[in-house]
Every structure is written in structure tokens, then in C-alpha cells.
PDB file of all heavy atoms in Angstrom:
ATOM      1  N   ALA J 211       5.743  -9.174 -38.070  1.00  0.00           N
ATOM      2  CA  ALA J 211       4.987  -8.057 -37.988  1.00  0.00           C
ATOM      3  C   ALA J 211       5.994  -6.918 -37.424  1.00  0.00           C
ATOM      4  O   ALA J 211       6.851  -7.250 -36.577  1.00  0.00           O
ATOM      5  CB  ALA J 211       3.923  -8.158 -36.945  1.00  0.00           C
ATOM      6  N   PRO J 212       5.863  -5.708 -37.849  1.00  0.00           N
ATOM      7  CA  PRO J 212       6.556  -4.654 -37.280  1.00  0.00           C
ATOM      8  C   PRO J 212       6.382  -4.437 -35.804  1.00  0.00           C
ATOM      9  O   PRO J 212       5.289  -4.590 -35.280  1.00  0.00           O
ATOM     10  CB  PRO J 212       6.255  -3.422 -38.175  1.00  0.00           C
ATOM     11  CG  PRO J 212       4.821  -3.738 -38.665  1.00  0.00           C
ATOM     12  CD  PRO J 212       4.790  -5.223 -38.732  1.00  0.00           C
ATOM     13  N   ALA J 213       7.537  -4.075 -35.244  1.00  0.00           N
ATOM     14  CA  ALA J 213       7.354  -3.830 -33.756  1.00  0.00           C
ATOM     15  C   ALA J 213       6.518  -2.502 -33.433  1.00  0.00           C
ATOM     16  O   ALA J 213       6.659  -1.631 -34.149  1.00  0.00           O
ATOM     17  CB  ALA J 213       8.779  -3.662 -33.147  1.00  0.00           C
ATOM     18  N   ALA J 214       5.817  -2.675 -32.434  1.00  0.00           N
ATOM     19  CA  ALA J 214       4.869  -1.563 -32.091  1.00  0.00           C
ATOM     20  C   ALA J 214       5.742  -0.417 -31.551  1.00  0.00           C
ATOM     21  O   ALA J 214       6.615  -0.599 -30.791  1.00  0.00           O
ATOM     22  CB  ALA J 214       3.810  -1.973 -31.037  1.00  0.00           C
ATOM     23  N   GLN J 215       5.436   0.781 -31.930  1.00  0.00           N
ATOM     24  CA  GLN J 215       6.211   1.944 -31.396  1.00  0.00           C
ATOM     25  C   GLN J 215       5.687   2.317 -30.031  1.00  0.00           C
ATOM     26  O   GLN J 215       4.442   2.377 -29.975  1.00  0.00           O
ATOM     27  CB  GLN J 215       6.216   3.079 -32.493  1.00  0.00           C
ATOM     28  CG  GLN J 215       6.965   2.863 -33.689  1.00  0.00           C
ATOM     29  CD  GLN J 215       7.095   4.058 -34.509  1.00  0.00           C
ATOM     30  OE1 GLN J 215       6.324   4.861 -34.415  1.00  0.00           O
ATOM     31  NE2 GLN J 215       8.156   4.138 -35.351  1.00  0.00           N
ATOM     32  N   HIS J 216       6.538   2.660 -29.224  1.00  0.00           N
ATOM     33  CA  HIS J 216       6.073   3.113 -27.822  1.00  0.00           C
ATOM     34  C   HIS J 216       5.716   4.547 -27.962  1.00  0.00           C
ATOM     35  O   HIS J 216       6.350   5.357 -28.543  1.00  0.00           O
ATOM     36  CB  HIS J 216       7.261   3.040 -26.831  1.00  0.00           C
ATOM     37  CG  HIS J 216       7.071   3.746 -25.464  1.00  0.00           C
ATOM     38  ND1 HIS J 216       6.065   3.048 -24.620  1.00  0.00           N
ATOM     39  CD2 HIS J 216       7.470   4.772 -24.946  1.00  0.00           C
ATOM     40  CE1 HIS J 216       5.993   3.960 -23.619  1.00  0.00           C
ATOM     41  NE2 HIS J 216       6.872   4.999 -23.767  1.00  0.00           N
ATOM     42  N   THR J 217       4.479   4.815 -27.336  1.00  0.00           N
ATOM     43  CA  THR J 217       3.962   6.270 -27.347  1.00  0.00           C
ATOM     44  C   THR J 217       3.858   6.586 -25.881  1.00  0.00           C
ATOM     45  O   THR J 217       3.048   6.025 -25.178  1.00  0.00           O
ATOM     46  CB  THR J 217       2.681   6.421 -28.074  1.00  0.00           C
ATOM     47  OG1 THR J 217       2.906   6.002 -29.445  1.00  0.00           O
ATOM     48  CG2 THR J 217       2.242   7.889 -28.030  1.00  0.00           C
ATOM     49  N   SER J 218       4.573   7.627 -25.501  1.00  0.00           N
ATOM     50  CA  SER J 218       4.555   8.045 -24.067  1.00  0.00           C
ATOM     51  C   SER J 218       3.235   8.904 -23.809  1.00  0.00           C
ATOM     52  O   SER J 218       2.650   9.375 -24.770  1.00  0.00           O
ATOM     53  CB  SER J 218       5.752   8.901 -23.800  1.00  0.00           C
ATOM     54  OG  SER J 218       5.517   9.663 -22.583  1.00  0.00           O
ATOM     55  N   ALA J 219       2.686   8.820 -22.554  1.00  0.00           N
ATOM     56  CA  ALA J 219       1.589   9.614 -22.210  1.00  0.00           C
ATOM     57  C   ALA J 219       1.872  11.126 -22.347  1.00  0.00           C
ATOM     58  O   ALA J 219       1.113  12.028 -22.151  1.00  0.00           O
ATOM     59  CB  ALA J 219       1.147   9.301 -20.808  1.00  0.00           C
ATOM     60  N   LEU J 220       3.150  11.520 -22.427  1.00  0.00           N
ATOM     61  CA  LEU J 220       3.529  12.955 -22.613  1.00  0.00           C
ATOM     62  C   LEU J 220       3.715  13.337 -24.015  1.00  0.00           C
ATOM     63  O   LEU J 220       3.925  14.551 -24.245  1.00  0.00           O
ATOM     64  CB  LEU J 220       4.931  13.183 -21.764  1.00  0.00           C
ATOM     65  CG  LEU J 220       4.760  13.434 -20.243  1.00  0.00           C
ATOM     66  CD1 LEU J 220       6.129  13.656 -19.587  1.00  0.00           C
ATOM     67  CD2 LEU J 220       3.594  14.230 -19.742  1.00  0.00           C
ATOM     68  N   THR J 221       3.609  12.467 -24.911  1.00  0.00           N
ATOM     69  CA  THR J 221       3.706  12.802 -26.387  1.00  0.00           C
ATOM     70  C   THR J 221       2.740  13.854 -26.698  1.00  0.00           C
ATOM     71  O   THR J 221       1.472  13.643 -26.467  1.00  0.00           O
ATOM     72  CB  THR J 221       3.600  11.495 -27.266  1.00  0.00           C
ATOM     73  OG1 THR J 221       4.702  10.584 -26.887  1.00  0.00           O
ATOM     74  CG2 THR J 221       3.835  11.868 -28.733  1.00  0.00           C
ATOM     75  N   GLY J 222       3.208  14.963 -27.248  1.00  0.00           N
ATOM     76  CA  GLY J 222       2.287  16.031 -27.638  1.00  0.00           C
ATOM     77  C   GLY J 222       1.730  16.777 -26.515  1.00  0.00           C
ATOM     78  O   GLY J 222       0.776  17.811 -26.712  1.00  0.00           O
ATOM     79  N   ARG J 223       2.097  16.697 -25.284  1.00  0.00           N
ATOM     80  CA  ARG J 223       1.702  17.469 -24.140  1.00  0.00           C
ATOM     81  C   ARG J 223       2.798  18.647 -24.093  1.00  0.00           C
ATOM     82  O   ARG J 223       3.862  18.543 -24.451  1.00  0.00           O
ATOM     83  CB  ARG J 223       1.683  16.502 -22.955  1.00  0.00           C
ATOM     84  CG  ARG J 223       0.778  15.307 -22.800  1.00  0.00           C
ATOM     85  CD  ARG J 223      -0.602  15.612 -23.169  1.00  0.00           C
ATOM     86  NE  ARG J 223      -1.417  14.586 -23.203  1.00  0.00           N
ATOM     87  CZ  ARG J 223      -2.712  14.477 -23.506  1.00  0.00           C
ATOM     88  NH1 ARG J 223      -3.322  15.585 -23.809  1.00  0.00           N
ATOM     89  NH2 ARG J 223      -3.454  13.410 -23.491  1.00  0.00           N
ATOM     90  N   THR J 224       2.222  19.721 -23.258  1.00  0.00           N
ATOM     91  CA  THR J 224       3.059  20.772 -23.045  1.00  0.00           C
ATOM     92  C   THR J 224       3.251  20.891 -21.502  1.00  0.00           C
ATOM     93  O   THR J 224       2.400  20.828 -20.633  1.00  0.00           O
ATOM     94  CB  THR J 224       2.432  22.079 -23.496  1.00  0.00           C
ATOM     95  OG1 THR J 224       2.181  21.980 -24.878  1.00  0.00           O
ATOM     96  CG2 THR J 224       3.319  23.318 -23.149  1.00  0.00           C
ATOM     97  N   VAL J 225       4.597  20.807 -21.111  1.00  0.00           N
ATOM     98  CA  VAL J 225       5.052  21.002 -19.643  1.00  0.00           C
ATOM     99  C   VAL J 225       5.739  22.237 -19.460  1.00  0.00           C
ATOM    100  O   VAL J 225       6.673  22.574 -20.165  1.00  0.00           O
ATOM    101  CB  VAL J 225       6.014  19.730 -19.328  1.00  0.00           C
ATOM    102  CG1 VAL J 225       6.456  19.969 -17.887  1.00  0.00           C
ATOM    103  CG2 VAL J 225       5.270  18.537 -19.514  1.00  0.00           C
ATOM    104  N   VAL J 226       5.329  22.975 -18.334  1.00  0.00           N
ATOM    105  CA  VAL J 226       5.930  24.287 -18.056  1.00  0.00           C
ATOM    106  C   VAL J 226       6.816  23.972 -16.730  1.00  0.00           C
ATOM    107  O   VAL J 226       6.205  23.368 -15.735  1.00  0.00           O
ATOM    108  CB  VAL J 226       4.864  25.319 -17.745  1.00  0.00           C
ATOM    109  CG1 VAL J 226       5.661  26.510 -17.205  1.00  0.00           C
ATOM    110  CG2 VAL J 226       4.248  25.724 -18.986  1.00  0.00           C
ATOM    111  N   VAL J 227       8.053  24.212 -16.673  1.00  0.00           N
ATOM    112  CA  VAL J 227       8.941  24.091 -15.521  1.00  0.00           C
ATOM    113  C   VAL J 227       9.276  25.483 -15.021  1.00  0.00           C
ATOM    114  O   VAL J 227      10.054  26.203 -15.809  1.00  0.00           O
ATOM    115  CB  VAL J 227      10.015  23.195 -15.717  1.00  0.00           C
ATOM    116  CG1 VAL J 227      10.809  22.958 -14.410  1.00  0.00           C
ATOM    117  CG2 VAL J 227       9.539  21.881 -16.363  1.00  0.00           C
ATOM    118  N   ILE J 228       8.782  25.892 -13.959  1.00  0.00           N
ATOM    119  CA  ILE J 228       9.170  27.261 -13.383  1.00  0.00           C
ATOM    120  C   ILE J 228      10.401  26.946 -12.465  1.00  0.00           C
ATOM    121  O   ILE J 228      10.180  26.455 -11.366  1.00  0.00           O
ATOM    122  CB  ILE J 228       7.971  27.870 -12.638  1.00  0.00           C
ATOM    123  CG1 ILE J 228       6.745  28.009 -13.621  1.00  0.00           C
ATOM    124  CG2 ILE J 228       8.300  29.089 -11.827  1.00  0.00           C
ATOM    125  CD1 ILE J 228       5.462  28.542 -12.899  1.00  0.00           C
ATOM    126  N   GLY J 229      11.506  27.510 -12.934  1.00  0.00           N
ATOM    127  CA  GLY J 229      12.716  27.274 -12.161  1.00  0.00           C
ATOM    128  C   GLY J 229      13.356  26.152 -12.805  1.00  0.00           C
ATOM    129  O   GLY J 229      13.921  25.148 -12.243  1.00  0.00           O
ATOM    130  N   GLY J 230      13.346  26.026 -14.158  1.00  0.00           N
ATOM    131  CA  GLY J 230      13.927  24.901 -14.907  1.00  0.00           C
ATOM    132  C   GLY J 230      15.222  25.042 -15.599  1.00  0.00           C
ATOM    133  O   GLY J 230      15.618  24.283 -16.373  1.00  0.00           O
ATOM    134  N   SER J 231      15.997  26.025 -15.084  1.00  0.00           N
ATOM    135  CA  SER J 231      17.341  26.102 -15.562  1.00  0.00           C
ATOM    136  C   SER J 231      18.395  25.337 -14.974  1.00  0.00           C
ATOM    137  O   SER J 231      19.645  25.276 -15.508  1.00  0.00           O
ATOM    138  CB  SER J 231      17.718  27.588 -15.535  1.00  0.00           C
ATOM    139  OG  SER J 231      17.860  28.070 -14.173  1.00  0.00           O
ATOM    140  N   ALA J 232      18.212  24.549 -13.886  1.00  0.00           N
ATOM    141  CA  ALA J 232      19.159  23.845 -13.176  1.00  0.00           C
ATOM    142  C   ALA J 232      18.493  22.843 -12.356  1.00  0.00           C
ATOM    143  O   ALA J 232      17.300  22.889 -12.054  1.00  0.00           O
ATOM    144  CB  ALA J 232      20.017  24.713 -12.435  1.00  0.00           C
ATOM    145  N   GLY J 233      19.378  21.848 -11.870  1.00  0.00           N
ATOM    146  CA  GLY J 233      18.883  20.957 -10.853  1.00  0.00           C
ATOM    147  C   GLY J 233      17.694  20.134 -11.072  1.00  0.00           C
ATOM    148  O   GLY J 233      17.582  19.666 -12.253  1.00  0.00           O
ATOM    149  N   ILE J 234      16.685  19.994 -10.181  1.00  0.00           N
ATOM    150  CA  ILE J 234      15.476  19.192 -10.358  1.00  0.00           C
ATOM    151  C   ILE J 234      14.700  19.679 -11.505  1.00  0.00           C
ATOM    152  O   ILE J 234      14.129  18.873 -12.280  1.00  0.00           O
ATOM    153  CB  ILE J 234      14.719  19.223  -8.960  1.00  0.00           C
ATOM    154  CG1 ILE J 234      15.512  18.511  -7.959  1.00  0.00           C
ATOM    155  CG2 ILE J 234      13.372  18.562  -9.236  1.00  0.00           C
ATOM    156  CD1 ILE J 234      14.975  18.620  -6.575  1.00  0.00           C
TER     157      ILE J 234
END
């Protein structure tokens, strides 16, 4: 049987990072 593909809970989600150009 083919191996099941891992689907992350973030797949298809949109994340906004305010201050996302460096560091954390």
C-alpha cells in the first residue's frame, strides 16, 4: 500500500507575521 502523505494542520492556512523580516 502506498505510504500515507503527511498533511499538516497548517496546510492551506494563512499566517500573518507582523515583524517577520528577521529573527523570531
Side-chain angles (χ1 to χ4, degrees):
Q215 290 188 335
H216 170 71
T217 301
S218 166
L220 286 183
T221 299
R223 306 299 185 185
T224 301
V225 176
V226 175
V227 183
I228 298 175
S231 62
I234 292 169

